[in-house]
């Protein structure tokens, strides 16, 4: 019996029943702070030269049709995030200058 493949029996069917997949971030988690988990980073977990696949690429290959839209939205999100970060850096610099002067 193999891991998550349902066609290989009971264990695979149970694994698929436990699997939850969301497009985007579901409601209870969209307001929480996002964090990077260093122990989960691909560069730390995989040996150099190992092959890997992204969920987005596999989804597109099997017929998911919203990949271009998600890429466009992700680009927009990154631009907004960069603008926010620049404003935050300026604000922190002003705070540090004010504290140094006080």
């Amino acid at each position: 019996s193999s891991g998550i493949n349902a066609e290989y029996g009971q264990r695979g069917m149970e694994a698929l029943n436990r699997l939850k997949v969301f497009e985007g971030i579901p409601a209870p988690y969209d307001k929480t702070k996002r964090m990077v988990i260093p122990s989960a980073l691909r560069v730390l977990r995989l040996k150099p030269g190992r092959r890997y696949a992204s969920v987005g690429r596999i989804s597109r290959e099997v017929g998911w049709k919203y990949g271009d839209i998600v890429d466009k939205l992700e680009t927009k999100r990154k631009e907004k995030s960069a603008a926010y970060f620049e404003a935050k850096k300026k604000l922190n610099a002003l705070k540090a200058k004010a504290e140094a002067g006080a």
Side-chain angles (χ1 to χ4, degrees):
S1 163
S2 182
I4 199 164
N5 295 331
E7 67 267 14
Y8 291 121
Q10 186 66 30
R11 184 171 165 215
M13 289 221 298
E14 289 171 1
L16 277 178
N17 288 337
R18 288 190 303 266
L19 181 68
K20 287 186 181 180
V21 180
F22 300 97
E23 202 169 298
I25 303 171
Y29 306 110
D30 59 352
K31 302 292 184 204
T32 59
K33 184 178 180 192
R34 292 173 188 84
M35 296 181 232
V36 173
I37 313 294
S39 62
L41 290 174
R42 184 180 67 227
V43 293
L44 297 176
R45 300 302 297 176
L46 293 180
K47 291 180 180 177
R50 290 280 190 191
R51 298 176 66 183
Y52 64 92
S54 69
V55 174
R57 184 181 63 80
I58 293 172
S59 300
R60 284 187 181 118
E61 288 177 5
V62 297
W64 185 55
K65 57 188 176 199
Y66 299 106
D68 296 332
I69 295 169
V70 170
D71 288 341
K72 189 170 74 173
L73 291 172
E74 184 68 9
T75 303
K76 197 158 101 176
R77 183 195 67 79
K78 285 182 180 178
E79 289 170 1
K80 280 177 64 177
S81 178
Y84 171 80
F85 183 65
E86 288 300 319
K88 186 177 176 181
K89 280 200 313 191
K90 286 180 184 176
L91 186 67
N92 285 343
L94 285 174
K95 281 183 185 177
K97 190 175 182 183
E99 288 175 359

